[in-house]
């Protein structure tokens, strides 16, 4: 719970609890009369004095200033977010109770505003529309009084929806038209705000028996073009820029946040990353996750990996590269080396992939980003070589393996490098090149800090590298 009263009252209560006199609390830095003025509310302590008093009273400056400890504030933040999740999960009653608790315990303006919005939405979902309207009206008034902190569009659209629900078509239409006009002024004719305001207004026109307006609005709404080059995030960004130029900072911030929300796609990417990780596990010997794995576990695992990798097209950058490589690896394992070669040669550029190796100059200081890119390229070459071996084209496989070996020169020693060297050794062996295999296995040992006692180490099992 927030501490009682103002700063002075909290200082006085804690001082009495600690059984300190005003002179003892003042110490050598302050005067007891100054402490008296603070406790009576006639002086507001500076941040430096607050820190000093907090140290002597055994609390935090935040508690003295606001009545809430940082840990309590963090708990309230989490509680408010969980309440929003409950609302999204279809539990408006639980959400409403949680929002009410946050409102009772918090005096932070931003947290309180978010909780009031959430409680209004929960009340609306519970069918307590009149109570929801009262809260939405407060939020609208607050946003209109201080347009630099919040946008009035969300509460106006919510109010139009609520007034329509209770049959006040005049208010619903007035608010809906106001919201739609603002959105069109900002050039925002896509996105959930435009769609929702238009939907409410269309229903209100129909309910008010105004077919001409309903027809005109419906045509406008349904004609919205959301082509690939006309994404909602672009419109949100432009609306944010225009609002900022007009001095409507609250609107600008709101639309910028919406642009980030529709552009991020976090849940889709999170699932894609999980799919990629699961495919990697399957292609490295993990038992298939499905229950129907039978006679050919390696082939079944690769087929399952291909299914998982089919849902990773949203990945970008290094993750997209990794997905391409793992898909090619899986294709080799399911007996489709031609497809694997085609995808890898598109990725690598055939001429570079099959060119005679030109060892680069040693680069002890090779950056981690560049090193990671080199490892990805080498891994792609190794899968390409594996596909050539499956096709029984050993000369082509050796060209690719020698190119990969030369590209590894200068990479710093590390466990990932050791894994690559080990696979390189295995493929050299499969291609019948024992010297290349021995050299790759030796480099695998050195990459993990092991130095063989003899210059030429025999090929060995590095299964635990």
């Amino acid at each position: 719970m927030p501490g009682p009263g103002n700063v002075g009252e909290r200082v006085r209560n804690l001082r009495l609890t600690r059984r300190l006199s005003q002179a003892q609390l003042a110490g050598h830095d302050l005067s007891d009369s100054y402490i008296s003025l603070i406790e009576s509310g006639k002086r507001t302590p500076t941040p430096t004095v607050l820190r000093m008093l907090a140290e002597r009273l055994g609390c935090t400056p935040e508690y003295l200033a606001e009545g809430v400890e940082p840990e309590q504030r963090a708990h309230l933040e989490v509680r408010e977010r969980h309440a929003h999740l409950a609302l999204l999960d279809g539990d408006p009653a639980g959400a409403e109770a949680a929002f009410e608790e946050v409102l009772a315990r918090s005096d932070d303006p931003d947290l309180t505003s978010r909780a009031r919005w959430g409680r209004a939405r929960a009340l609306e979902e519970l069918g307590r529309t009149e109570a929801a309207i009262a809260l939405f009206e407060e939020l609208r008034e607050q946003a209109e009084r201080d347009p630099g902190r919040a946008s009035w569009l969300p509460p106006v659209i919510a109010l139009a929806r609520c007034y329509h629900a209770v049959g006040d078509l005049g208010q619903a239409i007035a608010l809906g038209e106001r919201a739609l006009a603002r959105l069109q002024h900002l050039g925002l004719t896509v996105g959930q705000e435009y769609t929702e305001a238009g939907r409410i207004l269309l229903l209100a026109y129909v309910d008010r028996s105004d077919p001409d307006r309903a027809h005109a609005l419906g045509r406008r709404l349904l004609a919205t073009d959301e082509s690939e080059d006309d994404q909602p995030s672009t419109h949100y960004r432009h609306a944010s820029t225009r609002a900022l130029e007009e001095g409507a900072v609250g609107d600008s911030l709101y639309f910028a946040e919406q642009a980030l929300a529709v552009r991020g796609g976090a849940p889709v990417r999170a699932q894609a990353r999980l799919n990629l990780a699961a495919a990697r596990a399957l292609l490295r010997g993990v038992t298939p996750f499905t229950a129907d794995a039978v006679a050919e576990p390696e082939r079944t695992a690769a087929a399952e990996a291909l299914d998982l990798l089919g849902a990773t097209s949203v990945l970008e950058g290094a993750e997209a590269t990794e997905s391409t490589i793992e898909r090619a690896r899986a294709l080799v394992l399911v007996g489709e080396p031609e497809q694997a070669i085609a995808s890898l040669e598109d990725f690598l550029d055939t001429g570079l992939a099959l060119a005679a190796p030109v060892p680069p100059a040693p680069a002890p200081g090779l950056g981690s980003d560049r090193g990671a890119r080199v490892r990805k390229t080498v891994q792609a070459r190794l899968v390409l070589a594996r596909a050539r071996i499956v096709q029984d084209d050993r000369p082509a496989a050796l060209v690719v393996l020698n190119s990969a070996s030369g590209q590894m020169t200068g990479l710093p020693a590390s466990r990932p490098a050791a894994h690559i060297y080990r696979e390189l050794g295995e493929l050299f062996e499969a291609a019948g090149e024992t010297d290349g295999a021995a050299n790759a296995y030796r480099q695998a040992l050195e990459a993990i800090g092991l130095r063989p006692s003899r210059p030429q180490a025999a090929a060995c099992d590095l299964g635990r590298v």
Side-chain angles (χ1 to χ4, degrees), residues 43-208:
R43 289 289 186 277
T44 299
T46 64
T48 300
V49 172
L50 267 181
R51 287 193 296 271
M52 191 182 302
L53 295 176
E55 183 177 349
R56 295 172 187 176
L57 292 170
C59 66
T60 63
E62 291 83 0
Y63 176 79
L64 289 182
E66 302 172 13
V68 179
E69 293 283 10
E71 186 176 352
Q72 291 176 298
R73 184 181 302 281
H75 280 292
L76 290 175
E77 294 268 1
V78 172
R79 183 66 168 150
E80 181 261 341
R81 283 160 176 74
H82 284 183
H84 279 291
L85 290 172
L87 186 59
L88 291 173
D89 289 340
D91 181 16
E96 197 269 335
F99 284 127
E100 194 168 11
E101 177 189 346
V102 172
L103 289 169
R105 298 177 58 190
S106 174
D107 58 359
D108 178 82
D110 292 333
L111 180 58
T112 299
S113 180
R114 294 198 304 269
R116 287 167 69 196
W117 170 266
R119 184 165 183 258
R121 285 287 296 116
L123 290 169
E124 182 184 356
E125 291 292 323
L126 289 168
R128 296 163 59 186
T129 313
E130 295 289 354
I133 287 174
L135 277 178
F136 283 133
E137 286 287 9
E138 290 178 12
L139 289 166
R140 179 180 69 158
E141 292 171 5
Q142 178 182 336
E144 289 176 341
R145 283 196 309 269
D146 190 2
R149 290 182 62 88
S151 170
W152 55 260
L153 271 165
V156 163
I157 295 172
L159 281 168
R161 184 174 58 243
C162 288
Y163 280 122
H164 177 260
V166 298
D168 191 339
L169 299 181
Q171 277 281 61
I173 290 173
L175 292 169
E177 289 178 342
R178 182 185 176 194
L180 212 57
R182 176 62 175 163
L183 291 167
Q184 289 172 327
H185 171 72
L186 293 172
L188 189 61
T189 55
V190 297
Q192 62 180 0
E193 293 79 14
Y194 180 79
T195 302
E196 179 67 357
R199 181 189 72 85
I200 297 163
L201 193 54
L202 181 62
L203 290 173
Y205 284 152
V206 171
D207 290 345
R208 199 176 65 171

Side-chain angles (χ1 to χ4, degrees), residues 354-370:
L354 297 178
V358 180
L366 194 63
S368 58
D369 289 343
R370 185 182 166 200

Side-chain angles (χ1 to χ4, degrees), residues 389 394-395 397-398 401 424-437:
I389 291 171
R394 296 175 188 273
L398 285 174
L401 290 173
L424 182 64
E426 291 173 347
L427 291 171
F428 267 126
E429 276 193 296
E433 178 57 58
T434 55
D435 289 343

Side-chain angles (χ1 to χ4, degrees), residues 218-241:
R219 283 177 60 86
R220 198 160 78 243
L221 292 171
L222 296 174
T224 300
D225 180 18
E226 292 189 29
S227 65
E228 185 175 348
D229 296 329
D230 197 24
Q231 292 297 318
S233 61
T234 302
H235 286 264
Y236 277 125
R237 188 174 68 245
H238 290 165
S240 176
T241 301

Side-chain angles (χ1 to χ4, degrees), residues 366-389:
L366 194 63
S368 58
D369 289 343
R370 185 182 166 200
R373 289 196 298 271
V374 169
R375 287 195 296 271
K376 291 297 180 192
T377 306
V378 172
Q379 286 170 345
R381 295 183 193 279
L382 296 185
V383 177
L384 181 59
R386 191 179 294 276
R388 292 299 188 188
I389 291 171

